[in-house]
Amino acid sequence: MRLSQMLFVTLRDDPADAEIPSHKLLLRAGYIRRIGSGIYAYLPFMWRVLQKVSQIVREEMNATGAQECLLPQLQPADLWKESGRWDTYTKAEGIMFSLIDRRDQQLGLGPTHEEVITTIARDMIRSYRQLPLHLYQLQTKFRDEIRPRFGLMRGREFIMKDGYSFHVDEESLKKTYQDMYQAYSNMLRRAGLAFRPVEADSGAIGGSGSTEFMVLAEAGEDEVLYTEDGKYAANVEKAVSLPADAETSAFISYEKRETPGTDTIETLCQFLKCSPTQVVKNVLYQTVYDNGLTVLVLVSIRGDQEVNEVKLQNELTRLAANYGAKAVIALNVPSSETQQTWVAKSLPLGYIAPDISDEYIAANKQVHAKFVRLVDKTAVDLKNFVTGANETGYHVVGANWNEHFKLPESVVDLRKSRPGDRALHNPEQTLSSARGIEVGHIFQLGTKYSQAMGATYTNEQGEEKPLVMGCYGVGVSRLAQAAVEQSYDKDGIIWPVAIAPYHAIVTIPNINDAQQVQIAEKLYTELNQAGIETLLDDRDERAGVKFKDADLIGIPYRIVTGRAIANGKVEVVERATRQSQEIAIDEVITTLKQWITAAIEVKN
Ligand code: ATP
Ligand code: MG
């Protein structure tokens, strides 16, 4: 392609609305254009990158035996009502765009396709002989994200590869899951990305496992905890570890103490001259279930630890059935104004004990009459601990479970792991932290959707069984931008060769020099004929402007028909290393072919 004939507009300055380098660079280099909040046009360069990423994804998926299809983006609400997700997706979370057609039918724009694929499986899969089966598609997804940002990283319209597999049992599912783990690793390696597979939260769905593929970059929205020995890596939402040991308490007898102005762990520990590891703190949450019921939750946890709200939400989802509900739609720490609307007398905030009486809330019709009491493992092991006295300005010291406070029945892991914690698999290893961009997620779904929607098959014994399912997603457009986030310098993008929009750019420093033009034209034609995707910068611009643009758009190899042509040579510059060398004109094609093949093959 000739730049003179392209829509080629680059910006010298950073666009005001872009925060992270990859977003700035893709805008400046003319890859994308913002049309609305979280809505972007993929301009020709970007589209080529996306097609290259898509091609790698296809090749790796097809190699596992999965088959490509294309499912509708317009999805009837009825399907989502069958799975029970319509209300959470359109109202509670509100992630799904919904609309009403001229026949007054409700529809949603597909944020994901479990419902659509499950209805197909329900209709078409009858027998174990048809299994396992894996279908995937590459498609634009719609999600009304709360905070669309960072360009293609979190769009409201974005490209995803999503695949769904069907199995007779967990064992067969696990095999496909392993194949996907390998396929995803291959995809990312081939696209030239540094990544880390991490254990991920499977949320309320449960299932026996899920892995996220994280591209390591400072701008990542996720935190990953890992050990140097490479044996453990998890999203912080899911991570488990051993906390630091608690210090031995000096309070050997049980007493109530006046502790004025100590409603935080810090002030309390200063006042009592004790360690936060000797304190049981009691954190109050409110949760709202999908049937509208508000339930108050008291989490007792060691004073130096924080609650992991993802773990807490999972536990509350497990308890949903006790409250006639299926899902949690909100979880937060109530504000003091909110609390005053529930409680008969005001709660001694900052001084609450694990046994705070249900009487505080019993009279109120807006909230469930009893607290849910959960205790984290870190608090269970404490002896002679300090905790609230249920009276403002007072704490108790030297307390013990089942002597002074009944140990709540639900002992759960609710603590947030942190860097520096010891690893479970080897306490000599400690957790380190890194930022990651989630580009892929593979998931063992089990029978959640097949059961809800009645998708069954007949097994060898003639019995009807629910289909066992897996699902696997790659954010194609997010991945493409993540590649830039990992690879740029002060002058612009440095594309990995495998996904660069073009391999090479032939730059004519002076288009009024007939010889420069003639050699450039010839190289341009022959390179393209040889399968090296090449641009020609034939614009009537100063050489400096052209070099700057070539650096900005990040094409791996630049060929300059400048002074060296007098000696039958051209200058070839590698974008990534900036190494420049003069190469005989008739050796350019073979040399570049070798470099490009090598650059792509290293990753294969
Ligand atoms: P996130 O936690 O980042 O919102 P998710 O858990 O909602 O992601 P999935 O539903 O697992 O994501 O979707 C599969 C993949 O699609 C993700 O791994 C990610 O790469 C991509 N993706 C999800 N949401 C977006 C978005 N708003 N914009 C671009 N890509 C996205
Ligand atoms: Mg999301």
Side-chain angles (χ1 to χ4, degrees), residues 111-112 143 145 152-161 212 221-222 438-441 473-479:
T112 179
R143 292 187 184 180
E145 298 278 358
L152 307 187
M153 291 290 189
R154 186 169 296 285
R156 294 199 299 163
E157 182 179 322
F158 60 95
I159 302 175
M160 196 202 286
K161 184 287 295 180
E212 286 168 345
E221 291 186 274
D222 286 281
E438 178 201 325
V439 293
H441 195 172
V474 177
V476 170
S477 43
R478 183 184 283 183
L479 187 159

Side-chain angles (χ1 to χ4, degrees), residues 1-4 6-12 21-22 24-32 43-49 52 480 483-484 487-497 499-507 533-539 544-559 573-576 578:
M1 194 66 211
R2 292 162 187 275
L3 284 193
S4 63
M6 282 189 73
L7 175 64
F8 187 76
V9 180
T10 56
L11 310 173
R12 286 282 155 257
S22 56
K24 290 179 190 167
L25 288 169
L26 289 176
L27 283 168
R28 277 185 55 202
Y31 281 79
I32 56 174
L43 296 172
F45 281 155
M46 193 71 222
W47 185 235
R48 287 181 72 98
V49 173
K52 291 204 173 174
V484 179
S487 180
Y488 65 89
D489 63 14
K490 66 177 188 1
D491 297 318
I493 300 170
I494 303 173
W495 284 110
V497 179
I499 62 170
Y502 288 88
H503 299 132
I505 179 166
V506 178
T507 304
E533 299 162 22
T534 306
L535 286 167
L536 178 65
D537 193 349
D538 56 347
R539 295 173 303 161
V545 170
K546 293 184 178 185
F547 296 154
K548 270 207 154 60
D549 277 340
D551 281 349
L552 179 61
I553 61 177
I555 307 300
Y557 303 104
R558 182 172 84 211
I559 300 153
V573 186
E574 189 186 9
R575 174 68 184 87
R578 296 185 171 283

Side-chain angles (χ1 to χ4, degrees), residues 287 289 297 312-320 328 331 372:
T287 187
Y289 281 112
V297 186
L312 177 58
Q313 173 151 350
N314 289 343
E315 181 58 23
L316 292 170
T317 305
R318 271 190 283 277
L319 299 175
V328 169
L331 175 64
V372 177

Side-chain angles (χ1 to χ4, degrees), residues 245-390:
D245 289 330
E247 286 176 33
T248 308
S249 172
F251 303 107
I252 35 181
S253 57
Y254 181 68
E255 279 171 42
K256 180 170 159 184
R257 295 263 181 102
E258 190 174 358
T259 55
T262 59
D263 58 354
T264 63
I265 294 292
E266 202 191 341
T267 50
L268 174 66
C269 292
Q270 264 169 17
F271 187 89
L272 289 177
K273 301 196 174 42
C274 68
S275 152
T277 62
Q278 299 160 346
V279 179
V280 171
K281 73 175 166 189
N282 304 288
V283 194
L284 187 63
Y285 283 90
Q286 67 168 333
T287 187
V288 183
Y289 281 112
D290 55 352
N291 57 1
L293 186 65
T294 297
V295 177
L296 301 187
V297 186
L298 194 67
V299 179
S300 300
I301 188 166
R302 206 171 82 185
D304 62 320
Q305 302 297 316
E306 299 300 324
V307 176
N308 176 332
E309 292 185 6
V310 174
K311 291 182 182 175
L312 177 58
Q313 173 151 350
N314 289 343
E315 181 58 23
L316 292 170
T317 305
R318 271 190 283 277
L319 299 175
N322 301 351
Y323 302 97
K326 286 205 186 80
V328 169
I329 58 175
L331 175 64
N332 50 53
V333 175
S335 66
S336 39
E337 296 84 63
T338 315
Q339 286 181 27
Q340 298 319 328
T341 65
W342 305 320
V343 292
K345 52 177 179 167
S346 75
L347 283 161
L349 291 183
Y351 303 90
I352 293 181
D355 67 347
I356 182 106
S357 165
D358 290 327
E359 277 166 25
Y360 276 94
I361 54 171
N364 197 299
K365 296 283 168 288
Q366 287 173 293
V367 296
H368 184 72
K370 287 189 160 149
F371 289 104
V372 177
R373 293 169 204 268
L374 303 173
V375 56
D376 178 72
K377 288 179 184 148
T378 51
V380 173
D381 298 334
L382 295 185
K383 302 272 177 293
N384 300 324
F385 56 79
V386 175
T387 196
N390 289 330

